[in-house]
Amino acid sequence: MNTRFRLVFTVLILAFNPLHFSNLYAQNARIKIDLDRTIGEVDPHIYGNFVEHLGRCVYGGIYDPDNKLSDKNGFRKDVMTAVQNLHPTIIRYPGGNFVSNYNWLDGVGPKSERVPRLELAWYTLEPNLFGTNEFMQYVRSVNAEPYFTVNMGTGTIEEARRWVEYCNVKDGPYYAELRKKHGFPEPWNITYWSLGNEMDGPWQMGHLSAEDYVKKAREAAKLMVRTSPGIKLVAAGSSNYRAGADPDHWNQTVLTELKDVIDYIAIHMYVGNPDSNYYNFIATPLVLEQRTKIIKGMIAQAMQTASRGDRDPIYIAWDEYNVWYRARRGASATGRNALEEKYNLEDALVIAEFLNAFIRNADVVKMANLAQLVNVIAPIFTNENGMFKQTIYYPLQLFANHVSGTSLDVFVDCKNYSTERFNLGLGETTAQLSKVPYLDVSATYKAGEVTLCVVNRNKEEAITTDILSQNGAFSGTFEVFEVNGPDIKSGNDFNKEVVKTVEKPAINASGNKIMYSFPPHSFTMLKGKLTK
Ligand code: AHR
């Protein structure tokens, strides 16, 4: 073949072979799965959620006694079904900033005797018509574990102890008997208790220095555990990564001083896209991962000198995380309609990446709570006539329903990019990230099935990927679920659902390789058999 003829021949091949032609423009990648390279067991509590007395999360969200859509307890039935389908495993309550000026006694007993109180975290009047027992009825109806936070701000260690007694002691002392008098003969047996919320934040009522916090938390823990041995305690780690704050000092102090007492350290993170830069924003969960690794190191150091008997080491609870930047300032951040953030596709991809990060750090991240459940920076949004599922509902639902077992240390080879220094979100610090892979991947293995969760960060290009098993064979059909939408700014609304989970045609798999093309700006879950 002479050169001229070869050139014409090549052009013809390219023109008439669309697959080959598109591959010239698409990116390629490799994902390697090795069943021997394990990270840890995925704790189901990473699919947690959060209900705070804030805006319309409780009143007008989960609880709306005058609404025709509610049941006899005043719980919105449509919301409850959506919550049940989301499968939150553990729900944190009652705050958040709210708890730091909350007296739990105001929310128990006959409703006619409950007194409304001025609520200073979000500048409202708290009617106290929903409290401990209403929450416990709700959490049981949606089959989730309760997780309570005590008031370490304006509250005393004795108030915290009394709440534990009210909830967990069967009979005898005053507060256990009070619960019975209120119509609940059996204790609620709440295992998970957090020692305050964001106590390092100057915005927190009763904000403390690290040194003062650990003193108060240690004494509260002593009283609470003596009242109900076996409870698990979560210390407030840092949520203040703003310029000038010292989150490392806070976390280090908490871990050093409470290392024999606590079971988890709680960290919070909210990200946003205030500068409207997709590629910066879509990389923000990697900052959560960096923080996880830093705290993991601090835990390892603290564990060297801890006296914990046969208890597990301290784990990380990301007990507030989400996208939150639109409704974060001024009128949108206070009052009845506070924090009503409307989500789009890029936000949903960020949530999928947060979940991937928890899976990739499954050895140390043993709890995570998306903040929050309904209306307030939430996956479910209501009005008096109905509800809709926000974009972020779908990745969370897919993970909670499909991803469990052992987290695998996957190898990913794909193109990457770097960001300039950028704002992580309102109130947050800045970050600069290099080598951000276009594919964000996690893999888990359970009962002969592998589940691969992949975000394609690339906004324009599909990424054609060889998924290679190092020591096992794929077989049967692989289910494929995709969360995507017409563009990254697409969102849902009442009677409009453009971003949601779509089940794609299953893939026939055999041998040690699957080829899949991950579409631009998508989250894909592949699930099927892999046997050694
Ligand atoms: O989830 C909204 C608020 O964010 C919480 O009340 C607080 O803990 C955090 O700052």
Side-chain angles (χ1 to χ4, degrees), residues 93-96 99-100 102 104 148-153 155-157 159-161 163-164 193-197 199 220 224:
Y93 177 81
V99 79
S100 298
Y102 178 58
W104 66 270
F148 276 24
T149 303
V150 301
N151 177 352
M152 286 281 105
T156 64
I157 59 174
E159 270 169 44
R161 191 208 67 77
W163 202 8
V164 174
W193 294 84
S194 178
L195 301 163
N197 175 71
M199 297 309 298
M224 290 162 74

mmCIF file of all heavy atoms in Angstrom, residues 93-96 99-100 102 104 148-153 155-157 159-161 163-164 193-197 199 220 224:
data_model
loop_
_atom_site.group_PDB
_atom_site.id
_atom_site.type_symbol
_atom_site.label_atom_id
_atom_site.label_comp_id
_atom_site.label_asym_id
_atom_site.label_seq_id
_atom_site.Cartn_x
_atom_site.Cartn_y
_atom_site.Cartn_z
ATOM 1 N N TYR A 93 -30.535 14.241 66.090
ATOM 2 C CA TYR A 93 -31.604 15.109 66.577
ATOM 3 C C TYR A 93 -31.179 15.714 67.901
ATOM 4 O O TYR A 93 -30.451 15.052 68.639
ATOM 5 C CB TYR A 93 -32.876 14.261 66.753
ATOM 6 C CG TYR A 93 -34.050 15.004 67.323
ATOM 7 C CD1 TYR A 93 -34.844 15.810 66.523
ATOM 8 C CD2 TYR A 93 -34.346 14.908 68.694
ATOM 9 C CE1 TYR A 93 -35.917 16.511 67.070
ATOM 10 C CE2 TYR A 93 -35.417 15.606 69.231
ATOM 11 C CZ TYR A 93 -36.195 16.407 68.412
ATOM 12 O OH TYR A 93 -37.243 17.097 68.946
ATOM 13 N N PRO A 94 -31.579 16.903 68.324
ATOM 14 C CA PRO A 94 -32.485 17.868 67.681
ATOM 15 C C PRO A 94 -31.726 19.047 67.042
ATOM 16 O O PRO A 94 -32.352 19.965 66.566
ATOM 17 C CB PRO A 94 -33.303 18.388 68.870
ATOM 18 C CG PRO A 94 -32.327 18.367 70.012
ATOM 19 C CD PRO A 94 -31.360 17.238 69.741
ATOM 20 N N GLY A 95 -30.444 19.052 67.065
ATOM 21 C CA GLY A 95 -29.603 20.052 66.387
ATOM 22 C C GLY A 95 -28.196 19.540 66.447
ATOM 23 O O GLY A 95 -27.928 18.520 67.097
ATOM 24 N N GLY A 96 -27.329 20.213 65.780
ATOM 25 C CA GLY A 96 -27.328 21.530 65.209
ATOM 26 C C GLY A 96 -27.247 22.658 66.257
ATOM 27 O O GLY A 96 -27.250 22.454 67.465
ATOM 28 N N VAL A 99 -29.572 22.994 69.316
ATOM 29 C CA VAL A 99 -29.487 22.255 70.584
ATOM 30 C C VAL A 99 -28.744 23.044 71.655
ATOM 31 O O VAL A 99 -28.960 22.843 72.847
ATOM 32 C CB VAL A 99 -28.844 20.860 70.372
ATOM 33 C CG1 VAL A 99 -27.325 20.916 70.270
ATOM 34 C CG2 VAL A 99 -29.245 19.931 71.512
ATOM 35 N N SER A 100 -27.894 23.963 71.223
ATOM 36 C CA SER A 100 -27.070 24.678 72.206
ATOM 37 C C SER A 100 -27.845 25.727 72.989
ATOM 38 O O SER A 100 -27.277 26.415 73.848
ATOM 39 C CB SER A 100 -25.850 25.301 71.523
ATOM 40 O OG SER A 100 -25.070 24.271 70.972
ATOM 41 N N TYR A 102 -31.278 24.630 73.852
ATOM 42 C CA TYR A 102 -32.504 23.834 73.988
ATOM 43 C C TYR A 102 -32.516 23.122 75.326
ATOM 44 O O TYR A 102 -31.529 22.490 75.716
ATOM 45 C CB TYR A 102 -32.545 22.799 72.855
ATOM 46 C CG TYR A 102 -33.742 21.866 72.879
ATOM 47 C CD1 TYR A 102 -35.039 22.353 72.825
ATOM 48 C CD2 TYR A 102 -33.551 20.480 72.927
ATOM 49 C CE1 TYR A 102 -36.132 21.483 72.820
ATOM 50 C CE2 TYR A 102 -34.639 19.604 72.909
ATOM 51 C CZ TYR A 102 -35.923 20.109 72.868
ATOM 52 O OH TYR A 102 -36.998 19.251 72.856
ATOM 53 N N TRP A 104 -34.409 20.083 76.844
ATOM 54 C CA TRP A 104 -35.233 18.965 76.384
ATOM 55 C C TRP A 104 -36.533 18.839 77.177
ATOM 56 O O TRP A 104 -37.535 18.341 76.657
ATOM 57 C CB TRP A 104 -34.444 17.655 76.460
ATOM 58 C CG TRP A 104 -34.091 17.237 77.865
ATOM 59 C CD1 TRP A 104 -32.977 17.566 78.564
ATOM 60 C CD2 TRP A 104 -34.883 16.416 78.727
ATOM 61 N NE1 TRP A 104 -33.017 17.020 79.814
ATOM 62 C CE2 TRP A 104 -34.172 16.297 79.952
ATOM 63 C CE3 TRP A 104 -36.110 15.770 78.609
ATOM 64 C CZ2 TRP A 104 -34.667 15.567 81.030
ATOM 65 C CZ3 TRP A 104 -36.603 15.030 79.680
ATOM 66 C CH2 TRP A 104 -35.884 14.942 80.882
ATOM 67 N N PHE A 148 -28.825 11.261 69.539
ATOM 68 C CA PHE A 148 -29.162 12.528 70.203
ATOM 69 C C PHE A 148 -27.918 13.355 70.494
ATOM 70 O O PHE A 148 -26.858 12.815 70.822
ATOM 71 C CB PHE A 148 -29.872 12.253 71.538
ATOM 72 C CG PHE A 148 -31.353 12.005 71.405
ATOM 73 C CD1 PHE A 148 -31.901 11.549 70.226
ATOM 74 C CD2 PHE A 148 -32.201 12.242 72.481
ATOM 75 C CE1 PHE A 148 -33.270 11.324 70.102
ATOM 76 C CE2 PHE A 148 -33.572 12.019 72.370
ATOM 77 C CZ PHE A 148 -34.102 11.559 71.175
ATOM 78 N N THR A 149 -28.083 14.663 70.404
ATOM 79 C CA THR A 149 -27.017 15.587 70.795
ATOM 80 C C THR A 149 -27.461 16.342 72.032
ATOM 81 O O THR A 149 -28.573 16.893 72.051
ATOM 82 C CB THR A 149 -26.740 16.590 69.656
ATOM 83 O OG1 THR A 149 -26.402 15.846 68.491
ATOM 84 C CG2 THR A 149 -25.596 17.519 69.998
ATOM 85 N N VAL A 150 -26.610 16.371 73.053
ATOM 86 C CA VAL A 150 -26.975 17.112 74.267
ATOM 87 C C VAL A 150 -26.477 18.547 74.162
ATOM 88 O O VAL A 150 -25.587 18.860 73.376
ATOM 89 C CB VAL A 150 -26.429 16.433 75.546
ATOM 90 C CG1 VAL A 150 -26.965 15.020 75.686
ATOM 91 C CG2 VAL A 150 -24.906 16.443 75.594
ATOM 92 N N ASN A 151 -27.086 19.403 74.987
ATOM 93 C CA ASN A 151 -26.760 20.826 74.982
ATOM 94 C C ASN A 151 -25.513 21.074 75.838
ATOM 95 O O ASN A 151 -25.571 21.030 77.066
ATOM 96 C CB ASN A 151 -27.979 21.590 75.541
ATOM 97 C CG ASN A 151 -27.731 23.083 75.646
ATOM 98 O OD1 ASN A 151 -26.619 23.555 75.453
ATOM 99 N ND2 ASN A 151 -28.790 23.826 75.945
ATOM 100 N N MET A 152 -24.402 21.333 75.175
ATOM 101 C CA MET A 152 -23.163 21.659 75.893
ATOM 102 C C MET A 152 -22.905 23.161 75.868
ATOM 103 O O MET A 152 -21.841 23.631 76.241
ATOM 104 C CB MET A 152 -21.960 20.932 75.263
ATOM 105 C CG MET A 152 -21.886 19.462 75.538
ATOM 106 S SD MET A 152 -21.227 19.058 77.183
ATOM 107 C CE MET A 152 -22.692 18.585 78.013
ATOM 108 N N GLY A 153 -23.903 23.916 75.364
ATOM 109 C CA GLY A 153 -23.767 25.372 75.314
ATOM 110 C C GLY A 153 -24.360 25.985 76.568
ATOM 111 O O GLY A 153 -23.679 26.161 77.580
ATOM 112 N N GLY A 155 -26.639 24.504 78.275
ATOM 113 C CA GLY A 155 -27.089 23.407 79.145
ATOM 114 C C GLY A 155 -26.029 23.004 80.152
ATOM 115 O O GLY A 155 -24.838 23.278 79.985
ATOM 116 N N THR A 156 -26.471 22.282 81.177
ATOM 117 C CA THR A 156 -25.536 21.794 82.200
ATOM 118 C C THR A 156 -25.318 20.292 82.009
ATOM 119 O O THR A 156 -26.102 19.619 81.328
ATOM 120 C CB THR A 156 -26.099 22.006 83.622
ATOM 121 O OG1 THR A 156 -27.289 21.191 83.751
ATOM 122 C CG2 THR A 156 -26.458 23.459 83.868
ATOM 123 N N ILE A 157 -24.286 19.798 82.678
ATOM 124 C CA ILE A 157 -24.020 18.357 82.570
ATOM 125 C C ILE A 157 -25.138 17.567 83.259
ATOM 126 O O ILE A 157 -25.444 16.453 82.870
ATOM 127 C CB ILE A 157 -22.618 17.984 83.111
ATOM 128 C CG1 ILE A 157 -22.450 18.388 84.567
ATOM 129 C CG2 ILE A 157 -21.535 18.643 82.260
ATOM 130 C CD1 ILE A 157 -21.129 17.904 85.178
ATOM 131 N N GLU A 159 -28.375 18.453 83.244
ATOM 132 C CA GLU A 159 -29.493 18.374 82.278
ATOM 133 C C GLU A 159 -29.262 17.236 81.277
ATOM 134 O O GLU A 159 -30.191 16.511 80.912
ATOM 135 C CB GLU A 159 -29.584 19.681 81.478
ATOM 136 C CG GLU A 159 -30.464 20.748 82.089
ATOM 137 C CD GLU A 159 -30.252 22.077 81.367
ATOM 138 O OE1 GLU A 159 -30.200 22.097 80.112
ATOM 139 O OE2 GLU A 159 -30.128 23.082 82.076
ATOM 140 N N ALA A 160 -28.014 17.105 80.844
ATOM 141 C CA ALA A 160 -27.683 16.039 79.891
ATOM 142 C C ALA A 160 -27.928 14.675 80.533
ATOM 143 O O ALA A 160 -28.525 13.780 79.942
ATOM 144 C CB ALA A 160 -26.224 16.182 79.439
ATOM 145 N N ARG A 161 -27.477 14.537 81.763
ATOM 146 C CA ARG A 161 -27.653 13.258 82.482
ATOM 147 C C ARG A 161 -29.137 12.906 82.639
ATOM 148 O O ARG A 161 -29.548 11.779 82.458
ATOM 149 C CB ARG A 161 -26.989 13.366 83.865
ATOM 150 C CG ARG A 161 -26.865 12.045 84.588
ATOM 151 C CD ARG A 161 -26.866 12.200 86.098
ATOM 152 N NE ARG A 161 -28.155 12.666 86.620
ATOM 153 C CZ ARG A 161 -29.245 11.893 86.755
ATOM 154 N NH1 ARG A 161 -29.204 10.629 86.385
ATOM 155 N NH2 ARG A 161 -30.368 12.392 87.230
ATOM 156 N N TRP A 163 -31.570 13.765 80.786
ATOM 157 C CA TRP A 163 -32.160 13.371 79.492
ATOM 158 C C TRP A 163 -31.862 11.891 79.212
ATOM 159 O O TRP A 163 -32.722 11.139 78.755
ATOM 160 C CB TRP A 163 -31.577 14.252 78.381
ATOM 161 C CG TRP A 163 -32.435 14.338 77.142
ATOM 162 C CD1 TRP A 163 -33.701 13.852 76.978
ATOM 163 C CD2 TRP A 163 -32.073 14.953 75.910
ATOM 164 N NE1 TRP A 163 -34.151 14.143 75.703
ATOM 165 C CE2 TRP A 163 -33.159 14.820 75.031
ATOM 166 C CE3 TRP A 163 -30.929 15.623 75.459
ATOM 167 C CZ2 TRP A 163 -33.146 15.312 73.723
ATOM 168 C CZ3 TRP A 163 -30.906 16.118 74.166
ATOM 169 C CH2 TRP A 163 -32.008 15.963 73.304
ATOM 170 N N VAL A 164 -30.614 11.490 79.526
ATOM 171 C CA VAL A 164 -30.247 10.075 79.349
ATOM 172 C C VAL A 164 -31.129 9.203 80.235
ATOM 173 O O VAL A 164 -31.632 8.162 79.805
ATOM 174 C CB VAL A 164 -28.742 9.859 79.654
ATOM 175 C CG1 VAL A 164 -28.385 8.374 79.606
ATOM 176 C CG2 VAL A 164 -27.871 10.647 78.673
ATOM 177 N N TRP A 193 -25.003 9.208 71.541
ATOM 178 C CA TRP A 193 -25.162 10.532 72.145
ATOM 179 C C TRP A 193 -23.954 11.392 71.804
ATOM 180 O O TRP A 193 -22.812 10.974 71.997
ATOM 181 C CB TRP A 193 -25.266 10.420 73.673
ATOM 182 C CG TRP A 193 -26.499 9.726 74.144
ATOM 183 C CD1 TRP A 193 -26.690 8.383 74.260
ATOM 184 C CD2 TRP A 193 -27.721 10.353 74.571
ATOM 185 N NE1 TRP A 193 -27.961 8.121 74.741
ATOM 186 C CE2 TRP A 193 -28.613 9.320 74.944
ATOM 187 C CE3 TRP A 193 -28.146 11.677 74.687
ATOM 188 C CZ2 TRP A 193 -29.903 9.571 75.409
ATOM 189 C CZ3 TRP A 193 -29.431 11.931 75.159
ATOM 190 C CH2 TRP A 193 -30.297 10.881 75.512
ATOM 191 N N SER A 194 -24.242 12.581 71.352
ATOM 192 C CA SER A 194 -23.158 13.495 71.024
ATOM 193 C C SER A 194 -23.010 14.542 72.124
ATOM 194 O O SER A 194 -23.999 15.079 72.622
ATOM 195 C CB SER A 194 -23.476 14.157 69.682
ATOM 196 O OG SER A 194 -22.482 15.065 69.351
ATOM 197 N N LEU A 195 -21.763 14.837 72.469
ATOM 198 C CA LEU A 195 -21.476 15.792 73.546
ATOM 199 C C LEU A 195 -21.389 17.195 72.951
ATOM 200 O O LEU A 195 -20.314 17.767 72.787
ATOM 201 C CB LEU A 195 -20.161 15.396 74.236
ATOM 202 C CG LEU A 195 -20.162 13.980 74.839
ATOM 203 C CD1 LEU A 195 -18.746 13.501 75.124
ATOM 204 C CD2 LEU A 195 -21.007 13.956 76.113
ATOM 205 N N GLY A 196 -22.557 17.732 72.582
ATOM 206 C CA GLY A 196 -22.615 19.101 72.071
ATOM 207 C C GLY A 196 -22.436 19.181 70.566
ATOM 208 O O GLY A 196 -22.083 18.203 69.901
ATOM 209 N N ASN A 197 -22.704 20.370 70.055
ATOM 210 C CA ASN A 197 -22.623 20.620 68.616
ATOM 211 C C ASN A 197 -21.687 21.794 68.318
ATOM 212 O O ASN A 197 -21.855 22.866 68.919
ATOM 213 C CB ASN A 197 -24.023 20.971 68.086
ATOM 214 C CG ASN A 197 -23.999 21.371 66.622
ATOM 215 O OD1 ASN A 197 -23.781 20.529 65.752
ATOM 216 N ND2 ASN A 197 -24.213 22.657 66.337
ATOM 217 N N MET A 199 -18.935 23.088 69.104
ATOM 218 C CA MET A 199 -18.596 23.962 70.234
ATOM 219 C C MET A 199 -17.391 24.847 69.948
ATOM 220 O O MET A 199 -17.103 25.775 70.704
ATOM 221 C CB MET A 199 -18.381 23.122 71.502
ATOM 222 C CG MET A 199 -19.620 22.365 71.975
ATOM 223 S SD MET A 199 -21.111 23.379 72.144
ATOM 224 C CE MET A 199 -20.606 24.539 73.393
ATOM 225 N N ALA A 220 -19.608 15.525 81.597
ATOM 226 C CA ALA A 220 -20.933 15.128 81.091
ATOM 227 C C ALA A 220 -20.912 13.642 80.746
ATOM 228 O O ALA A 220 -21.830 12.887 81.107
ATOM 229 C CB ALA A 220 -21.289 15.955 79.864
ATOM 230 N N MET A 224 -23.338 10.695 82.163
ATOM 231 C CA MET A 224 -24.220 10.025 81.193
ATOM 232 C C MET A 224 -23.963 8.513 81.164
ATOM 233 O O MET A 224 -24.895 7.711 81.150
ATOM 234 C CB MET A 224 -24.018 10.639 79.796
ATOM 235 C CG MET A 224 -24.548 12.063 79.684
ATOM 236 S SD MET A 224 -23.873 12.961 78.263
ATOM 237 C CE MET A 224 -24.742 12.202 76.902
#
